[in-house]
Amino acid sequence: MSATAMNVRGFAKRKRDARKISMVTCYDYWSAQIINETSIDCILVGDSLAMVMHGFDSTVHATIDMMATHVAAVRRGAPDKFIVGDMPFLSCSKGLEVAMDGVQQLMQAGANSVKVEGDSHQIPVIRHIVEAGVPVMGHIGLTPQSIHGLGGHKVQGRGDKAERLVDAAVELAEAGCFGIVLECVPSELAACISQRINVPTIGIGAGPDTDGQVLVLQDLLGANPHFKPKFLRTYADSHGVVGEAVNRFHSEVVTHAFPSEAESYR
Ligand code: KIV
């Protein structure tokens, strides 16, 4: 059953009504077809696909062409869902023209909005994108595109850094973001930001008091048993299920149990 289609007004209403928003990443046609049949509110075609789908060691390797290819595949599989397409590494830091070309590619590939990582230095580009009529989701806290500058995957906004993050959230909301991802920040800070701004916050590793939650699909499905950050809850053992199915197929091939007479043409 497909959920009622979400849009930017829906995000605002959810915040007003204090009804949580669910978001999941999705990168391909196959899983998009499944997600389209679920009740999930919206899909993020995140630049984490550089790691999850392409095996790179960080999101720094995502490109706009890569993102657009995945957005288009997800749109074909999930025609009913609201899609947020991630603006990849440096795509918003090389001037407005480059940024707008990227936005155009993602929107024409089928996104309903774009997500921009970073705080103050992204405000002019975010304003420009919003004024051009394209909804923007912000992303602060742990911003994986800045992993080299941050010095690793660490919780952000602790101690005297908290105020700066609150200010960043306020600035992003004022610049016109319709939602803001808060990644890996202390729960108390995420709660404070969520109360302070009038657009929904979507948390990942940000505790229970954000206006919504997002997880990487493969993470929640348990695709990588070695990836166990504190914030992650797994809802399936896809690593085990897929491995077992493939091993059963292998064993039935080598023992001549597959295919049977009924599975063969005469
Ligand atoms: O790219 C991504 O998957 C993300 C989420 C972690 C929010 O940005």
Side-chain angles (χ1 to χ4, degrees):
M1 192 205 323
S2 160
T4 314
M6 189 66 149
N7 59 35
V8 285
R9 280 179 289 122
F11 275 84
K13 184 161 165 37
R14 286 293 185 86
K15 172 108 183 172
R16 285 198 304 277
D17 297 348
R19 284 175 57 216
K20 298 270 187 190
I21 298 163
S22 63
M23 180 158 89
V24 73
T25 66
C26 180
Y27 315 124
D28 64 274
Y29 174 74
W30 178 77
S31 57
Q33 284 183 293
I34 298 173
I35 302 298
N36 198 54
E37 299 296 312
T38 70
S39 307
I40 206 89
D41 291 315
C42 58
I43 288 175
L44 169 65
V45 183
D47 60 355
S48 51
L49 63 81
M51 302 170 78
V52 179
M53 301 299 279
H54 294 265
F56 288 110
D57 63 356
S58 80
T59 61
V60 163
H61 301 275
T63 65
I64 198 74
D65 288 342
M66 200 188 262
M67 296 307 303
T69 300
H70 286 276
V71 167
V74 171
R75 173 52 76 211
R76 288 190 286 272
D80 305 325
K81 293 294 181 186
F82 185 91
I83 295 179
V84 183
D86 235 347
M87 291 296 287
F89 182 60
L90 294 188
S91 60
C92 286
S93 303
K94 294 181 183 170
L96 290 185
E97 202 172 321
V98 174
M100 293 314 286
D101 283 346
V103 169
Q104 183 174 2
Q105 260 188 274
L106 296 194
M107 297 302 284
Q108 289 180 342
N112 300 102
S113 66
V114 297
K115 176 163 78 60
V116 175
E117 273 188 28
D119 44 43
S120 319
H121 81 285
Q122 301 289 28
I123 296 297
V125 73
I126 289 174
R127 278 192 203 286
H128 193 77
I129 300 170
V130 171
E131 276 162 19
V134 174
V136 177
M137 181 171 271
H139 182 159
I140 53 174
L142 175 58
T143 45
Q145 290 170 17
S146 312
I147 201 68
H148 298 292
L150 295 173
H153 288 92
K154 296 192 175 81
V155 174
Q156 302 294 309
R158 284 203 162 124
D160 58 3
K161 305 264 171 39
E163 208 173 306
R164 180 148 178 241
L165 220 49
V166 176
D167 291 346
V170 170
E171 267 190 285
L172 289 173
E174 283 173 1
C177 286
F178 73 94
I180 300 177
V181 169
L182 298 179
E183 179 164 355
C184 288
V185 299
S187 309
E188 301 80 1
L189 177 58
C192 164
I193 291 173
S194 305
Q195 279 171 16
R196 180 76 189 276
I197 60 177
N198 62 1
V199 298
T201 54
I202 313 288
I204 174 163
D209 297 320
T210 50
D211 301 302
Q213 296 287 335
V214 56
L215 282 178
V216 167
L217 179 65
Q218 284 76 359
D219 293 348
L220 79 86
L221 293 179
N224 179 357
H226 306 296
F227 185 62
K228 291 180 176 165
K230 180 173 174 159
F231 66 78
L232 178 62
R233 186 179 297 176
T234 51
Y235 291 84
D237 171 23
S238 64
H239 186 269
V241 168
V242 172
E244 196 195 315
V246 172
N247 272 335
R248 271 182 48 217
F249 169 65
H250 166 77
S251 119
E252 292 188 358
V253 169
V254 298
T255 59
H256 302 225
F258 176 83
S260 67
E261 196 58 34
E263 287 156 335
S264 306
Y265 298 106
R266 291 283 174 203

